[in-house]
Amino acid sequence: MNTMEILITVSVALLAGLLMTRVAKPLGLPAVTAYLVTGILLGPYVLGRLNIAGLGFPSFESVESFELLSKSALGFIAFMIGNEFRLSQLKKTGKKATVLSFCEALSAAFLVTACLIALHFIMPDKISLPAAITLGAVATATAPAATLMVVKQYKAKGELVDLLLPIVALDDAIALVVFSVASGVARAIQSSSFSFAAVCVSPLLDVIFSLLLGAVMGFLFSFTQRFFKSRSKRLSVSVTFVLLTVALSMIKFNLFGMEIEFSPLLVCMMLGTVFCNVCDFSEELMERIDRWTAPVIILFFVLSGAELDLGVFTDIAVVGIGAVYIISRSIGKYSGAGIGARALKCPDSVSKYLGITLLPQAGVALGMTITATELLGETDGGLIRNITLFSVLIYELVGPLLTKIALTKAGNIHPKEDDGPLKPPVKQ
């Protein structure tokens, strides 16, 4: 694409996404769903097929050409999630959120792994044991972006929301560790010469270094803000540091023979966490950043929709295995969150509905499939990616609506307070 086509495509995607929310609102659908549907319509399987310059994305390669925008938007989303880790709030919900995160993540991993291993023994030619184990680990990941957008759009407030946002943030840290251990086991089954120890240690180092980088950038960010007094300059510094942090999180390096790779989500979440606890005017600044990034985040979800590969529906095996994956993961998330909440004596609004809000799955899970292909080869890796793509397609379209319904039934959303996705939540 040339510069003119890129600008037209971005403009069409943004306008189409906004117009689609007008269609979605009378149907009671969240804005996130509208953006994702817009992306599908503009993607390679619908309008993109017409191959008209500026109108949609003719191929998945053209969608990937906007990777810079997607990564930047995800960085801002993770940064805003980090704002939920204020010490004052963590003193109230930190212990519960941590316990519930482990309960729902490990429960999903265990149930998906058990069901897929059983499926392996029934039809070993369709899914291998390494693929079943790896997919069980992929099931732990949750998509924080979609959940955050639903919470923000409907100005959701309450005990469920107070627990939900820290949980989706912690979820990805747990997912990275579980996935690396599981993929190490899977690779060990394939090859006895594989270094299992390196795969087990590497994920822990990834998480530790990601948190360290985010903390360092958070302190530098807070320190730099002291040199500026005007709101516009402080906003500019904020945007600068988020983009810089996203860039630095792409660095890879070797340590004792192991490749260390930062998690952009964890790094940017830690950036936001340190900033909101160190800077005394962080709350006001977060609201301004929220307004400024609204168009970028809309484009992020439109691009996410365009990336969804509808071609997975043509493979009956993928659909069948994917259905088992989706059902078992949903049951695992719901039951794990419910059991944990009841054990912690949380109110019914949490134990009944928390699991439903944790169903969306997207970027982190897809990122894991890339690593799975590198570790397990094209055959098992390709199957893992297709099943994950299938589940992401279902979860991303249905998940935001289910999250809205769950938050409403839990009393955290009041229908009359929906003023659209562009206004920040009222801070208490």
Side-chain angles (χ1 to χ4, degrees):
M1 289 187 183
N2 58 39
T3 303
M4 183 185 74
E5 290 178 359
I6 291 173
L7 290 175
I8 293 175
T9 301
V10 169
S11 302
V12 169
L14 182 57
L15 181 59
L18 290 170
L19 291 175
M20 186 62 73
T21 62
R22 300 304 90 194
V23 177
K25 189 172 182 179
L27 300 175
L29 298 174
V32 177
T33 302
Y35 303 145
L36 291 167
V37 171
T38 301
I40 292 174
L41 294 177
L42 294 177
Y45 285 94
V46 189
L47 291 177
R49 280 184 175 274
L50 300 177
N51 203 23
I52 300 175
L55 182 62
F57 306 93
S59 66
F60 288 112
E61 288 74 19
S62 64
V63 180
E64 289 175 4
S65 66
F66 291 88
E67 183 182 22
L68 174 63
L69 196 156
S70 294
K71 286 185 179 293
S72 300
L74 194 58
F76 281 105
I77 290 169
F79 175 67
M80 288 186 283
I81 290 175
N83 187 47
E84 302 302 324
F85 285 90
R86 292 181 180 272
L87 290 178
S88 57
Q89 185 67 25
L90 287 178
K91 289 177 181 178
K92 301 176 183 177
T93 62
K95 180 181 177 181
K96 289 182 178 180
T98 302
V99 173
L100 289 170
S101 295
F102 278 98
C103 286
E104 54 87 10
L106 297 181
S107 177
F110 174 79
L111 192 57
V112 171
T113 301
C115 290
L116 292 183
I117 287 178
L119 200 62
H120 160 72
F121 286 111
I122 296 172
M123 36 194 277
D125 57 323
K126 297 296 182 182
I127 180 169
S128 68
L129 196 57
I133 293 171
T134 306
L135 279 166
V138 173
T140 59
T142 302
T147 302
L148 178 66
M149 286 298 288
V150 172
V151 170
K152 285 160 60 64
Q153 178 185 353
Y154 296 101
K155 303 183 180 70
K157 296 176 288 185
E159 189 163 0
L160 178 55
V161 172
D162 291 341
L163 285 169
L164 173 60
L165 294 179
I167 286 173
V168 295
L170 289 169
D171 210 46
D172 288 325
I174 296 171
L176 288 172
V177 176
V178 172
F179 171 77
S180 294
V181 173
S183 59
V185 173
R187 188 68 179 90
I189 293 173
Q190 282 189 338
S191 173
S192 58
S193 62
F194 186 71
S195 175
F196 179 70
V199 175
C200 288
V201 174
S202 180
L204 294 175
L205 293 177
D206 287 349
V207 172
I208 291 171
F209 278 104
S210 294
L211 295 177
L212 283 175
L213 175 60
V216 170
M217 293 303 294
F219 282 112
L220 286 174
F221 178 25
S222 302
F223 177 75
T224 305
Q225 287 284 13
R226 297 178 182 179
F227 295 100
F228 302 95
K229 302 300 179 183
S230 72
R231 292 179 176 179
S232 59
K233 287 185 173 61
R234 284 177 171 174
L235 176 61
S236 299
V237 171
S238 302
V239 173
T240 299
F241 265 87
V242 173
L243 294 177
L244 178 59
T245 303
V246 171
L248 293 177
S249 68
M250 297 178 188
I251 296 174
K252 300 179 182 179
F253 63 94
N254 287 313
L255 182 68
F256 304 120
M258 294 177 290
E259 185 175 68
I260 304 300
E261 185 174 353
F262 296 108
S263 166
L265 270 175
L266 289 181
V267 175
C268 290
M269 278 192 278
M270 194 61 180
L271 173 74
T273 299
V274 172
F275 174 65
C276 75
N277 285 289
V278 173
C279 184
D280 55 3
F281 52 83
S282 62
E283 196 166 353
E284 176 191 353
L285 195 54
M286 282 288 189
E287 292 182 4
R288 295 178 64 81
I289 294 171
D290 181 48
R291 291 192 182 98
W292 185 87
T293 57
V296 178
I297 293 173
I298 291 172
L299 286 171
F300 167 77
F301 284 106
V302 173
L303 290 170
S304 297
E307 284 179 328
L308 296 177
D309 188 355
L310 303 184
V312 295
F313 285 117
T314 61
D315 191 328
I316 302 301
V318 169
V319 173
I321 299 170
V324 173
Y325 172 90
I326 290 171
I327 293 170
S328 57
R329 178 180 179 271
S330 301
I331 294 173
K333 288 279 184 182
Y334 183 80
S335 59
I339 292 170
R342 282 188 288 273
L344 293 171
K345 297 181 179 180
C346 294
D348 287 345
S349 62
V350 174
S351 59
K352 286 183 180 179
Y353 302 112
L354 175 61
I356 298 174
T357 64
L358 297 171
L359 295 183
Q361 189 174 42
V364 175
L366 292 175
M368 289 177 178
T369 64
I370 297 173
T371 304
T373 302
E374 294 173 354
L375 290 175
L376 304 180
E378 195 61 43
T379 301
D380 284 341
L383 177 66
I384 291 167
R385 180 165 180 80
N386 285 338
I387 291 171
T388 305
L389 280 169
F390 175 78
S391 68
V392 165
L393 178 63
I394 303 300
Y395 278 129
E396 284 295 270
L397 292 176
V398 178
L401 177 59
L402 293 178
T403 298
K404 178 201 170 186
I405 293 171
L407 290 174
T408 302
K409 288 185 175 294
N412 285 206
I413 288 179
H414 303 285
K416 292 183 180 180
E417 292 186 5
D418 175 20
D419 292 326
L422 300 182
K423 294 183 180 180
V426 177
K427 300 293 182 178
Q428 298 295 323

